[in-house]
Amino acid sequence: MNPLLAGDRDVVISAATASGKTEAAFLPICSRLAEEPAEGIGVLYISPLKALITDQHRRLESLCEHVGLQITPWHGDVPKSLKTKLRRRPRGILLITPESLESLLIHQMGWLKTAFAPLRYIVIDEFHAFIGSERGCQLLSLLTRLGFLLDKEVPRVALSATLGDLVMVGKCLRPAEAGCEPAVIESAALKSSLKIQLRGYLIPDRPHDEDDNPVDTVQNQIVADLFSILRGKSHLVFANSRRWTEYFAAELADRCAVHALPNEFFPHHGNLAKELREQLEARLLEGRLPTTAVCTMTLELGIDIGSVDSVAQVAAPHSVASLRQRLGRSGRRGEAAVLRLFIKEQEVTADSGAADRLRFHTMRCAALISLLLKKWYEPPLTGLNHFSTLVHQVLAVIGQYGGARADQLHRLLCARGPFQETEPAAFAALLRSMGEDELISQTHDGQLVLGVKGENLVGHYSFFSVFKTPEEYRLEAGGKVLGTVPVDGPLLVDQIIIFAGKRWRIESVDDEKKVITLTKAKGGSPPLFLGDPLLVHDRVRQEMFALFESGECPVYFDAVARDHFEEAVSGFREWELADRPWLVSGANLWVFPWLGDRVVNALAILVTEQGFQAGNDDGILEVRNCSEAAFKQAIKTHLAGPRLTKKDLAARLEGSPIEKYDKWVPKSLRQQSQSGHFFDLEGAYQWLERKTDFLR
């Protein structure tokens, strides 16, 4: 029997974007509800985006009307009248975000328990967008709390286009129950035709004044190419950041004005007003006018915008999963999917780092596309501590029930819920810290209740979300303010970063004043710790190595990109990197693990332990002022002695608050959380052990 019709187990549905996942789930679900009506809400649909809820409501409305089911969207922009109607007579299908579900659990628990009593399915759309994140942890905790409230387990149905290892995904869907594997429905269909072009650009090395920022002269060339290639049809351009989204959209719109043409280029990102986003989505869906959306990941998820003629990427992507999700927007009318990449490389000079010399942006793109064609996607990163979200959920549960004992909280959130990595001692330390900060307090009978600060937090509308925009820190050097940067990765004193076209060493970090003090650092290259939390997977770097070894240039490269590829392969062979893992460049040593950022970040810590300055430059470990002999001796000395533990590594981090509720997490636990996310210590030691022949 169809597992959805049976309704007795979890289900994972994986298929390409716009291939009918929603219909595949809701047709059997609606059939069952039509045959066996529920006296209340029968289906809870959870989406990561309000816009996706609006879109799915539009798509499912006629189906639900046909079988006599009510369907109700519920989020901050939904009219009060619709919510009032559902409160008075709860029934049918409810479409909601995790944040709105959190609000209902805290403020309308009694109504929720009655309205959801006959609940038969929980459908989670774009499940890959939740896995491994603080928001995903909140979602799983919400589902655990909902099951506890209803005193039953409701089948969960996960929908996504890019899930990779579906067995692992099933474990992520219900992590507390080992051996409870879901039914898997996977579409093996891939686009019958795929067209790819990678256009290369060379950023010239131009002299500039000491206090001036270097100007990226190729941006105008990319804008000109986008304008000439994309004008007249509909496309998506992924710019990866809001800053560049606005830049490209404005420049392209200006070119339309200069040529006295109607504008067809518009920005789309989370900071734009809802009306502007919806107008652009509607224009794309109607398809009457040529329309190009310059966007961040806001259009990466499954909002129905119809088919676009191509997808353009104006920077090197970091993951196969993201690239696949974006590519799924093109070629949806039986036509070929079209992917265009516009990739810049820096002109090589005597001061260039290894990543620039080996054209890593270009080579990473080639590796990602190669893995895409092999149908490999990054597996979810699991087993992490999410202490910030745990603080939030402790407050949410206490707010929901008015109070709870510590053992009850641990059993619900850690034993049954998604925080299983949290040991009892860490949980106790977290509760003590929350008590000291007046978030919670304890009554004479042992109940934990909200403290003064906790009541203020839970009572504010902003409480329901666990994610935040990274906090801006001010950068200062010699008493002069250089600017601000978002801190969304771990910080280390003596770490080398890049800002305003110059290299700096972190001298100190003041979390209270949000100030990072810098001193100039000559030479070397910046690691990826600051301002770039997107981590490249081991498999991607290994695929890059295979491309270097083969020396076969992809057929979809243009002339400039082919030049970059040939330069990269020539450098790889000249340095004999197929046979040795490191080489000396001037006073520095470059180490090539050909592994992901978490391993290279950990290697940097291990090398720093031996008194060297080291950083991760796009997967290359750069050790400053270090000879090969000194490096070998340092590693042999380290391996011969006591090895660094995860706890030791965590203690080396500054532990600056990154996630929303980190400020109420003890520093030691913040360090532990960041260590697990950004570092793979075991992988680093395994790599060193494989290189013992080179250490002689």
Side-chain angles (χ1 to χ4, degrees):
M1 177 183 286
N2 185 309
L4 286 166
L5 284 174
D8 58 359
R9 63 189 299 195
D10 295 342
V11 180
V12 175
I13 300 177
S14 177
T17 301
S19 59
K21 292 184 299 297
T22 302
E23 290 75 10
F26 276 97
L27 281 171
I29 286 175
C30 289
S31 297
R32 185 180 176 210
L33 286 180
E35 293 176 359
E36 306 171 21
E39 295 299 321
I41 293 172
V43 181
L44 178 65
Y45 164 94
I46 302 175
S47 163
L49 296 175
K50 292 189 292 185
L52 186 53
I53 287 177
T54 302
D55 180 63
Q56 297 291 37
H57 178 252
R58 176 187 57 78
R59 293 173 61 188
L60 294 172
E61 198 168 21
S62 59
L63 170 63
C64 292
E65 184 178 355
H66 182 72
V67 295
L69 288 174
Q70 177 177 300
I71 181 167
T72 306
W74 189 298
H75 54 70
D77 298 330
V78 172
K80 186 177 180 181
S81 58
L82 282 179
K83 296 179 179 178
T84 301
K85 179 182 176 182
L86 187 72
R87 285 194 188 99
R88 290 173 177 169
R89 191 185 177 194
R91 60 194 180 105
I93 301 171
L94 177 63
L95 314 179
I96 200 167
T97 62
E99 291 72 29
S100 291
L101 180 58
E102 184 75 80
S103 176
L104 288 177
L105 275 169
I106 293 175
H107 296 302
Q108 299 183 49
M109 180 179 65
W111 174 83
L112 195 73
K113 185 173 183 178
T114 302
F116 282 24
L119 189 66
R120 294 177 185 167
Y121 299 94
I122 297 173
V123 180
I124 309 168
D125 209 350
E126 303 292 349
F127 186 58
H128 74 280
F130 289 110
I131 297 176
S133 69
E134 62 266 34
R135 199 176 183 209
C137 220
Q138 177 193 22
L139 171 63
L140 293 174
S141 185
L142 285 168
L143 298 184
T144 301
R145 289 161 54 197
L146 183 61
F148 177 77
L149 179 67
L150 302 178
D151 194 24
K152 69 176 183 178
E153 290 300 332
V154 182
R156 302 174 186 178
V157 182
L159 313 179
S160 185
T162 51
L163 286 173
D165 183 351
L166 294 179
V167 174
M168 179 63 72
V169 169
K171 295 177 181 178
C172 294
L173 185 58
R174 198 182 289 271
E177 299 183 24
C180 184
E181 294 186 3
V184 174
I185 301 173
E186 181 180 12
S187 171
L190 190 64
K191 300 288 184 182
S192 58
S193 181
L194 174 61
K195 296 181 179 179
I196 307 172
Q197 184 187 47
L198 190 150
R199 301 170 71 94
Y201 299 84
L202 184 65
I203 303 173
D205 182 66
R206 302 186 313 171
H208 54 273
D209 295 334
E210 182 69 19
D211 293 327
D212 289 342
N213 293 340
V215 178
D216 188 348
T217 58
V218 304
Q219 294 292 24
N220 284 337
Q221 185 181 348
I222 293 177
V223 169
D225 287 346
L226 287 169
F227 184 78
S228 63
I229 294 170
L230 305 185
R231 189 172 62 83
K233 293 186 178 181
S234 293
H235 311 269
L236 295 182
V237 177
F238 286 95
N240 284 358
S241 72
R242 292 167 185 172
R243 173 193 172 195
W244 289 116
T245 293
E246 290 288 358
Y247 169 82
F248 281 111
E251 289 291 320
L252 289 164
D254 287 346
R255 286 184 181 258
C256 288
V258 168
H259 290 82
L261 296 168
N263 181 37
E264 55 190 74
F265 299 95
F266 306 90
H268 190 289
H269 57 75
N271 280 61
L272 284 175
K274 168 178 169 283
E275 293 76 14
L276 294 176
R277 295 196 308 270
E278 290 182 349
Q279 287 171 10
L280 177 54
E281 292 160 13
R283 175 168 166 151
L284 282 165
L285 185 58
E286 290 171 2
R288 293 186 300 104
L289 298 171
T291 305
T292 292
V294 186
C295 52
T296 57
M297 67 174 293
T298 50
L299 286 181
E300 183 178 306
L301 300 179
I303 300 170
D304 188 5
I305 55 171
S307 177
V308 296
D309 295 281
S310 76
V311 171
Q313 180 83 37
V314 294
H318 284 76
S319 74
V320 183
S322 176
L323 191 62
R324 178 67 187 89
Q325 187 80 2
R326 295 174 180 187
L327 182 59
R329 292 301 195 173
S330 176
R332 291 160 58 180
R333 296 193 184 112
E335 300 176 354
V338 179
L339 174 65
R340 294 185 170 95
L341 299 102
F342 301 76
I343 306 301
K344 301 173 291 185
E345 296 286 1
Q346 188 74 41
E347 183 179 356
V348 174
T349 68
D351 296 326
S352 295
D356 283 338
R357 292 172 185 261
L358 294 176
R359 303 305 190 194
F360 262 31
H361 294 298
T362 301
M363 300 303 287
R364 185 168 77 233
C365 287
L368 291 171
I369 292 170
S370 175
L371 292 170
L372 172 73
L373 297 175
K374 294 176 182 178
K375 301 182 185 179
W376 177 88
Y377 310 113
E378 289 83 0
L381 185 60
T382 59
L384 302 178
N385 288 297
H386 291 275
F387 292 117
S388 170
T389 309
L390 183 52
V391 167
H392 177 272
Q393 287 299 287
V394 167
L395 292 173
V397 172
I398 294 175
Q400 177 182 342
Y401 290 98
R405 296 194 312 272
D407 62 318
Q408 292 174 326
L409 289 168
H410 186 271
R411 188 160 54 249
L412 178 61
L413 297 175
C414 301
R416 292 183 55 172
F419 302 97
Q420 295 167 23
E421 300 297 324
T422 304
E423 298 177 354
F427 188 68
L430 190 72
L431 293 181
R432 284 195 298 271
S433 177
M434 293 175 68
E436 292 167 0
D437 288 331
E438 299 181 354
L439 295 182
I440 58 176
S441 62
Q442 191 168 33
T443 62
H444 66 279
D445 61 353
Q447 287 279 312
L448 297 177
V449 296
L450 294 178
V452 176
K453 291 183 180 178
E455 287 181 350
N456 291 335
L457 278 175
V458 176
H460 196 269
Y461 70 89
S462 64
F463 172 75
F464 306 119
S465 67
V466 295
F467 61 90
K468 69 164 188 174
T469 302
E471 198 153 11
E472 296 278 334
Y473 274 54
R474 190 168 71 251
L475 297 179
E476 294 184 356
K480 179 181 178 181
V481 176
L482 304 178
T484 61
V485 292
V487 172
D488 42 18
L491 296 173
L492 294 164
V493 170
D494 291 332
Q495 173 182 335
I496 307 299
I497 69 168
I498 192 168
F499 188 78
K502 300 181 180 66
R503 291 175 175 84
W504 308 88
R505 181 180 66 83
I506 295 181
E507 192 172 71
S508 65
V509 179
D510 189 328
D511 290 317
E512 291 295 324
K513 296 181 179 179
K514 303 294 185 291
V515 173
I516 300 173
T517 304
L518 307 174
T519 57
K520 285 188 177 180
K522 296 181 180 179
S525 298
L528 298 179
F529 294 161
L530 186 62
D532 194 352
L534 300 174
L535 303 174
V536 176
H537 192 273
D538 289 346
R539 180 74 185 276
V540 176
R541 296 261 165 71
Q542 291 163 358
E543 191 72 14
M544 289 172 63
F545 180 80
L547 286 168
F548 276 112
E549 271 199 314
S550 73
E552 295 180 10
C553 183
V555 296
Y556 52 84
F557 278 24
D558 76 348
V560 175
R562 282 197 298 273
D563 288 344
H564 292 163
F565 184 90
E566 290 170 4
E567 288 176 23
V569 172
S570 176
F572 178 87
R573 291 173 176 170
E574 179 185 344
W575 292 341
E576 300 177 348
L577 294 179
D579 302 313
R580 62 178 180 178
W582 49 68
L583 62 89
V584 174
S585 175
N588 301 332
L589 184 78
W590 290 333
V591 183
F592 298 84
W594 301 109
L595 292 171
D597 286 318
R598 295 178 69 244
V599 171
V600 182
N601 289 345
L603 285 170
I605 296 289
L606 296 181
V607 172
T608 301
E609 285 291 297
Q610 300 303 309
F612 296 104
Q613 287 188 356
N616 175 2
D617 182 14
D618 207 353
I620 301 169
L621 179 67
E622 181 173 343
V623 189
R624 302 179 64 200
N625 300 316
C626 180
S627 67
E628 183 174 2
F631 179 77
K632 289 181 178 180
Q633 184 57 49
I635 295 301
K636 285 191 288 186
T637 300
H638 181 80
L639 293 178
R643 298 197 174 185
L644 207 64
T645 66
K646 292 181 180 179
K647 185 176 181 180
D648 296 330
L649 188 150
R652 304 308 195 265
L653 305 178
E654 287 298 305
S656 299
I658 296 175
E659 296 183 3
K660 185 174 181 179
Y661 294 91
D662 266 350
K663 67 177 75 174
W664 292 293
V665 176
K667 183 178 179 179
S668 62
L669 297 185
R670 289 201 304 262
Q671 292 169 321
Q672 181 181 334
S673 178
Q674 293 171 18
S675 171
H677 184 84
F678 290 96
F679 301 88
D680 180 358
L681 188 60
E682 182 180 354
Y685 276 122
Q686 288 175 352
W687 183 82
L688 289 174
E689 288 167 353
R690 291 197 298 269
K691 302 303 173 185
T692 52
D693 288 346
F694 292 92
L695 295 174
R696 294 171 183 167

